[in-house]
Amino acid sequence: MAPPLSRRTLLQTAVLAAAAPGISYGMSGGRAVAATVPAPSAWAVRPFELKDVTLGQGLFATKRQLMLDHGRGYDVDRLLQVFRANAGLSTKGAVAPGGWEGLDGEANGNLRGHYTGHFLTMLSQAYASTKDVAFKDKIGYMVGALSQVRTALRGDPRMLAVTGKFGTAQENPRGSYQYVDLPATVLGGASAITLSAWVKPTHNANWTRIFDFGNNTTKYMYLAARNASGFPRFAVTTNGPGGEQGLDGTAALPLNQWSHLAVTISGSTGTLYVNGAAVAQNTSMSLNPAALGTLANNWLGRSNFQTDPVFAGAFDEFNVWSRALTAAEITALQSGRASATSAGRGNLASYDFFETSGGTFADASGRGLTATLRRTWGGPSHAGFLAAYPETQFIELESMNSGDYTRVWAPYYTAHKILRGLLDAYLHTDDARALDLATGMCDWMYSRLSKLPDATLQRMWGIFSSGEFGGLVEAIVDLYAISGKAEHLALAKLFDLDKLIDACAANTDTLDGLHANQHIPIFTGLVRLYDVTGEARYLTAAKNFWGMVVPQRMYGIGGTSTAEFWKARGVISGTISDTNAETCCAYNLLKLSRTLFFHEQDAKYMDYYERTLLNQVLGSKQDKADAEKPLVTYFIGLKPGHVRDYTPKQGTTCCEGTGMESATKYQDSVYFTKADGSALYVNLYSPATLNWSAKGVTVTQTTDYPREQGSTITVGGGSAAFELRLRVPSWATGGFQVTVNGSAVSGTPAAGSYFTIPSRTWRSGDVVKVTIPFRLRVEKALDEPSLQTLFYGPVNLVGRNSSTSYLSFGLYRNAGLSGDLLPSLTPVSGKPLHYTLDGTEFAPFHEGSEDPTHAYVRRSEPKVVFGGTDSGVANPAKSDGTTLLDEIWAGAPFSSKSALVTRVQSTVESWVTVGLLAQADGQKVVTTAQNASYAG
């Protein structure tokens, strides 16, 4: 038997055998569109493009408008700040958003750049949906800026000339990792010395160096802009920090202002001057430059201690003299260039920074010691590299064994967001520059990862947080479908996490303890890999994984995870906290559900889609305008009395990023078409118009769903033949009806399926009315049936109450024959979908308020009550918690009162027989049921 093929061989085979991209799946007329991801032949149904579905007025449009206004008004130079700084380009005075997007956020901003990708996707979807050129213009501006960034990163650093103290100056933007490298002989072995510099710091980080001359962290001489107390410090040592002989200032240098610093050493006396005044003197110094010898590292702006930050700010006129200037000479330097004072230029080195371009600085001392601008991390390994931080995060990940987000925080996750944003910019605006940037990123990733051993890749992708790569595989496969480059397909397979894939393919649940959002998007990528490789384990793993989460780890609103992680299968009540349902998880589960539906038209996927979109996703967006923040939750706590936080971590988390995306693509799954165009799927009931140009018709839904219990679908334009497949929600257990032009359509709709109107030639003006009666029902926590959440049709209702303990309610008291529990609640006048029960208002989860909420309540039915009439009998329960009333109402809906009474009689008899209910009490229960009045 031949030995099994290694992953390396399989990847080489993929590179050689990769197929060319397929035809366009854009359903806007069958035309081939360059900026369209080609359709996988495996998809039995296909989506329409966002531009082909117009969202009408209603709940979704209202939420979307808030995000459109935010995107239209936000200054994108703020997002580009970290990219430009990393490349040493002008940041145009912009201030990064903060939080996770900037150098001052969590883990030193190690995730910076991710938010820019999200924003590009949001803008792209907004443009596709509205055709508002304001969004397209912003996209073009951002893509152009990122193109400049990539060019700058690939080349040597270039001077950023700014207005200096006396002319031009060299600025190091914060986050640029740039420094000036001076020749080794700059100190000239002098025993007496003066070093003088004008500096304009722009950040208050401690231990940033104005200059640092040394070999390592043992032998060096430096001037720091700020010591641990925030004051300037000069030090020289040949024995590390413990042997430093120093001079410390007495006040901090002001930010964004020019300050002059000078240090003199003569004999045993060292003096530190700030703005011409001596602020510190040490008369017991035994060290000077001569004691250090010739040093290897002679830097302006960089420290010999690798963990110290790079100086952020500008340099003007740096001089070195082989003597100690007098106090008067130092004072004279305040009023003009050294060359115009009695001190003259430094005779060891003199840099005026007169240059306005290039990456070198001339020495005017006469010694010809040209200085060079460099980056601390060198340069990117491949021309396609694009990021808002150095490539060092990617490099360091390759040797890590465990996660540490303060060192490396998911660099490939961030790469995914940028890549996705660029792809979306290309797909929705046809900007070829965006495709070029996206292609370059994948070429760069392949150049790195294809050289790593399989074991290294498996270790990397299994590391929590640091190894997270989000939906990168999906994006790479989408690019491959456009580019047809075999290396791109091979790259996508390099992210296979075999341990996870194999377990899920075998339907072995290993999710307990895993980080939820690190793993959910992996499976959407696997489905896309199946699409282009036909490798069955990918699709099987994804389907099985979905079933491990839905409903096993799903809360009523559709979300999953607690404090970002999964617990054991079936544990719901035991995980409820203030940190449930990370919003990114909902976003990614919707993507996965949608993608699986393309392969298997099981209504459960679209049932989940409606549940999560209409509840968690809508509810994660606050109903409030804000120019600075998207106002989207990170976690949606389900603990009693939880108040949603719409501005976590300064508003730039992963969830606010995906939240921006969600709010600009609400229409993406309303309609699908069968691959051959013979059927139209109506998955969601939403006011949305489809321009199905391939058929020459429009399909418009007019509805205020979910405030309306149904939808009216009107065909417009020309005529076309197709089936109409209408989703019957799993909760719609009775009364689902369909008419065409006023006539009922025959057939029996089954909850949790699609009801088909057979193929016919539809003509302009044809009207389909869909009636979907709602009823109030409960869903029980899998591990604690008495803990329940309320649904009215598709709408999750939450109690608004400041109590931090579970509220206790009974719901059977006025239940209708249909099993509808709504009659036990009282409608609130003028507020659709609002009800009160025992003094607590229940409102739709999708309302983005800051009211304290109760998503779950305790079910308590102490007495047997029918139609508001109390039988006086205690409601008995079985050992598993099932009560007499539970068992009676489990038989709903009832066709008539007599059918209900018959159910009551048979249930009572069985309970009396096994000793759970006394005969006399049983008769009281039956009599009460017979005498009570019921709603329908």
Side-chain angles (χ1 to χ4, degrees):
M1 177 182 292
L5 293 176
S6 68
R7 178 187 299 274
R8 184 67 53 203
T9 302
L10 287 170
L11 288 173
Q12 291 169 346
T13 302
V15 170
L16 293 172
I23 61 171
S24 166
Y25 76 75
M27 302 309 297
S28 54
R31 57 189 172 83
V33 182
T36 305
V37 176
S41 59
W43 287 3
V45 301
R46 297 174 181 178
F48 293 92
E49 296 181 63
L50 285 178
K51 66 182 180 62
D52 295 327
V53 183
T54 303
L55 198 60
Q57 290 304 306
L59 178 60
F60 289 103
T62 301
K63 287 272 190 179
R64 183 181 72 172
Q65 191 60 50
L66 293 169
M67 196 63 75
L68 293 177
D69 291 343
H70 171 71
R72 186 181 292 105
Y74 195 83
D75 179 7
V76 294
D77 278 324
R78 297 186 64 190
L79 300 173
L80 295 166
Q81 192 269 349
V82 289
F83 286 90
R84 286 169 167 155
N86 188 48
L89 299 175
S90 172
T91 59
K92 300 183 182 295
V95 177
W100 286 5
E101 193 59 38
L103 287 163
D104 296 316
E106 197 167 349
N108 302 310
N110 280 350
L111 209 64
R112 60 190 183 275
H114 81 116
Y115 205 67
T116 300
H118 285 299
F119 209 88
L120 268 173
T121 291
M122 181 267 284
L123 290 176
S124 300
Q125 293 174 169
Y127 174 67
S129 298
T130 67
K131 289 298 179 283
D132 185 336
V133 294
F135 298 119
K136 185 177 183 180
D137 289 345
K138 282 198 169 187
I139 294 165
Y141 179 78
M142 293 178 73
V143 170
L146 292 174
S147 296
Q148 293 172 349
V149 165
R150 186 179 70 173
T151 299
L153 284 171
R154 185 55 181 167
D156 292 329
R158 314 287 287 178
M159 180 184 187
L160 179 57
V162 296
T163 301
K165 177 67 177 176
F166 300 114
T168 58
Q170 156 61 22
E171 182 179 25
N172 287 340
R174 183 160 178 256
S176 68
Y177 300 90
Q178 292 183 168
Y179 67 99
V180 179
D181 188 19
L182 307 179
T185 58
V186 64
L187 297 179
S191 56
I193 199 163
T194 299
L195 303 104
S196 162
W198 283 97
V199 294
K200 184 181 180 181
T202 56
H203 190 257
N204 60 0
N206 291 342
W207 300 115
T208 57
R209 302 296 201 261
I210 295 171
F211 62 74
D212 194 336
F213 305 120
N215 284 341
N216 43 46
T217 55
T218 300
K219 183 189 293 187
Y220 54 78
M221 180 176 73
Y222 69 77
L223 175 60
R226 294 170 62 90
N227 61 12
S229 300
F231 306 152
R233 173 175 171 79
F234 170 82
V236 58
T237 182
T238 56
N239 195 30
E244 287 186 2
Q245 299 177 12
L247 299 161
D248 291 294
T250 56
L253 299 180
L255 297 181
N256 302 305
Q257 294 182 31
W258 286 103
S259 296
H260 183 263
L261 291 96
V263 176
T264 64
I265 298 178
S266 179
S268 61
T269 300
T271 307
L272 172 64
Y273 296 85
V274 177
N275 294 323
V279 297
Q281 192 169 77
N282 185 340
T283 59
S284 302
M285 297 187 68
S286 60
L287 297 174
N288 57 49
L292 299 176
T294 301
L295 300 170
N297 304 324
N298 300 278
W299 297 329
L300 302 183
R302 180 181 179 182
S303 170
N304 275 284
F305 289 80
Q306 290 187 5
T307 57
D308 287 341
V310 175
F311 177 79
F315 289 96
D316 194 2
E317 196 174 47
F318 178 72
N319 283 281
V320 185
W321 292 266
S322 61
R323 65 184 181 88
L325 299 188
T326 65
E329 288 176 313
I330 297 292
T331 299
L333 292 175
Q334 311 308 299
S335 58
R337 289 194 175 277
S339 58
T341 70
S342 58
R345 293 186 181 279
N347 64 314
L348 292 180
S350 181
Y351 301 98
D352 288 320
F353 300 105
F354 280 147
E355 296 82 0
T356 58
S357 63
T360 58
F361 306 99
D363 171 30
S365 72
R367 299 178 69 207
L369 302 181
T370 301
T372 305
L373 190 63
R374 303 191 190 281
R375 296 189 184 95
T376 61
W377 55 282
S381 62
H382 185 279
F385 175 74
L386 177 63
Y389 46 68
E391 198 171 359
T392 47
Q393 275 214 53
F394 298 91
I395 296 168
E396 190 169 356
L397 175 61
E398 294 167 9
S399 60
M400 291 179 70
N401 290 301
S402 60
D404 180 354
Y405 82 143
T406 64
R407 291 169 50 211
V408 176
W409 192 2
Y412 285 97
Y413 173 94
T414 305
H416 162 242
K417 301 309 175 188
I418 300 167
L419 175 64
R420 183 75 260 172
L422 291 168
L423 272 176
D424 289 333
Y426 170 66
L427 291 170
H428 295 302
T429 71
D430 291 308
D431 192 328
R433 298 173 302 170
L435 180 62
D436 180 59
L437 289 170
T439 301
M441 286 188 70
C442 287
D443 292 344
W444 156 70
M445 284 187 275
Y446 182 73
S447 75
R448 285 211 69 82
L449 297 176
S450 62
K451 296 177 174 63
L452 298 178
D454 298 339
T456 299
L457 294 170
Q458 294 297 315
R459 172 173 46 78
M460 286 165 57
W461 310 142
I463 298 174
F464 162 60
S465 191
S466 298
E468 183 175 356
F469 56 82
L472 186 54
V473 173
E474 176 197 10
I476 294 170
V477 175
D478 282 354
L479 177 65
Y480 164 69
I482 297 168
S483 72
K485 289 183 67 173
E487 291 82 2
H488 293 163
L489 175 57
L491 171 63
K493 290 176 67 65
L494 288 171
F495 290 90
D496 280 5
L497 181 55
D498 289 334
K499 178 174 62 176
L500 177 69
I501 297 170
D502 292 343
C504 288
N507 209 17
T508 301
D509 190 333
T510 61
L511 303 188
D512 187 6
L514 292 184
H515 183 264
N517 197 52
Q518 180 166 345
H519 295 87
I520 298 169
I522 290 176
F523 290 91
T524 304
L526 294 181
V527 179
R528 293 292 287 117
L529 269 177
Y530 168 78
D531 293 337
V532 294
T533 67
E535 194 169 329
R537 73 172 186 139
Y538 290 141
L539 183 60
T540 301
K543 288 181 178 180
N544 290 342
F545 166 79
W546 192 90
M548 295 171 190
V549 179
V550 182
Q552 300 298 329
R553 294 176 171 88
M554 182 194 77
Y555 302 108
I557 57 173
T560 188
S561 78
T562 182
E564 299 191 6
F565 288 82
W566 280 310
K567 301 299 183 182
R569 184 184 183 99
V571 178
I572 300 298
S573 169
T575 63
I576 287 179
S577 70
D578 282 329
T579 59
N580 294 127
E582 183 184 353
T583 305
C584 275
C585 293
Y587 165 91
N588 280 310
L589 276 172
L590 287 181
K591 266 197 167 187
L592 177 59
S593 300
R594 181 178 191 263
T595 307
L596 287 172
F597 189 84
F598 297 152
H599 293 271
E600 180 184 23
Q601 290 69 63
D602 191 325
K604 68 182 181 182
Y605 296 123
M606 286 298 118
D607 273 345
Y608 175 81
Y609 206 97
E610 177 183 67
R611 172 196 295 269
T612 308
L613 181 65
L614 196 56
N615 294 292
Q616 170 155 4
V617 171
L618 280 184
S620 69
K621 172 72 184 85
Q622 188 172 16
D623 297 331
K624 177 180 168 183
D626 194 290
E628 293 298 307
K629 304 288 192 299
L631 301 182
V632 176
T633 58
Y634 189 104
F635 297 119
I636 294 187
L638 302 177
K639 192 174 179 180
H642 178 79
V643 176
R644 294 176 205 167
D645 180 3
Y646 298 97
T647 53
K649 301 177 185 289
Q650 299 182 56
T652 55
T653 66
C654 53
C655 292
E656 282 135 317
T658 54
M660 291 191 298
E661 295 182 32
S662 291
T664 49
K665 64 169 185 175
Y666 289 139
Q667 76 272 35
D668 77 339
S669 296
V670 174
Y671 305 105
F672 293 156
T673 177
K674 196 172 178 183
D676 62 4
S678 64
L680 179 69
Y681 286 78
V682 179
N683 305 306
L684 302 174
Y685 298 101
S686 176
T689 297
L690 167 65
N691 178 22
W692 197 0
S693 57
K695 292 284 188 180
V697 297
T698 60
V699 179
T700 299
Q701 284 194 70
T702 305
T703 180
D704 195 28
Y705 189 92
R707 291 181 286 242
E708 177 182 346
Q709 299 183 24
S711 183
T712 299
I713 303 170
T714 304
V715 177
S719 61
F722 55 89
E723 291 180 349
L724 192 61
R725 300 184 178 179
L726 306 167
R727 185 176 63 87
V728 185
S730 58
W731 48 263
T733 55
F736 187 97
Q737 296 178 347
V738 180
T739 65
V740 176
N741 298 329
S743 298
V745 180
S746 61
T748 305
S753 69
Y754 278 80
F755 180 75
T756 300
I757 300 177
S759 184
R760 52 174 283 165
T761 299
W762 298 91
R763 292 180 172 81
S764 183
D766 283 346
V767 176
V768 178
K769 289 190 70 68
V770 184
T771 302
I772 319 173
F774 292 5
R775 65 182 181 89
L776 184 71
R777 68 188 193 283
V778 298
E779 289 188 3
K780 302 174 182 179
L782 298 178
D783 54 337
E784 192 172 347
S786 67
L787 197 66
Q788 302 178 358
T789 186
L790 276 62
F791 277 87
Y792 185 50
V795 179
N796 185 235
L797 296 177
V798 293
R800 290 181 174 170
N801 191 302
S802 60
S803 171
T804 55
S805 299
Y806 285 114
L807 303 176
S808 182
F809 295 104
L811 295 170
Y812 288 136
R813 66 188 76 169
N814 285 305
L817 294 175
S818 65
D820 189 357
L821 301 172
L822 189 64
S824 294
L825 280 65
T826 303
V828 178
S829 178
K831 297 176 71 175
L833 301 177
H834 284 244
Y835 305 90
T836 59
L837 178 63
D838 297 344
T840 293
E841 182 177 8
F842 280 81
F845 191 98
H846 62 242
E847 292 186 352
S849 75
E850 293 180 291
D851 296 298
T853 59
H854 289 250
Y856 283 86
V857 298
R858 290 277 182 211
R859 186 70 175 276
S860 177
E861 307 281 356
K863 293 291 188 69
V864 177
V865 181
F866 291 105
T869 303
D870 188 345
S871 68
V873 176
N875 184 25
K878 294 180 178 179
S879 59
D880 65 358
T882 302
T883 69
L884 176 67
L885 284 174
D886 289 336
E887 194 160 303
I888 289 170
W889 286 106
F894 300 106
S895 59
S896 63
K897 177 179 176 178
S898 62
L900 168 60
V901 172
T902 298
R903 173 76 176 191
V904 172
Q905 289 174 327
S906 63
T907 305
V908 163
E909 288 173 5
S910 66
W911 282 58
V912 169
T913 299
V914 296
L916 292 173
L917 184 66
Q919 181 72 46
D921 286 341
Q923 186 56 52
K924 291 180 184 178
V925 169
V926 173
T927 300
T928 302
Q930 290 171 332
N931 295 334
S933 297
Y934 304 92

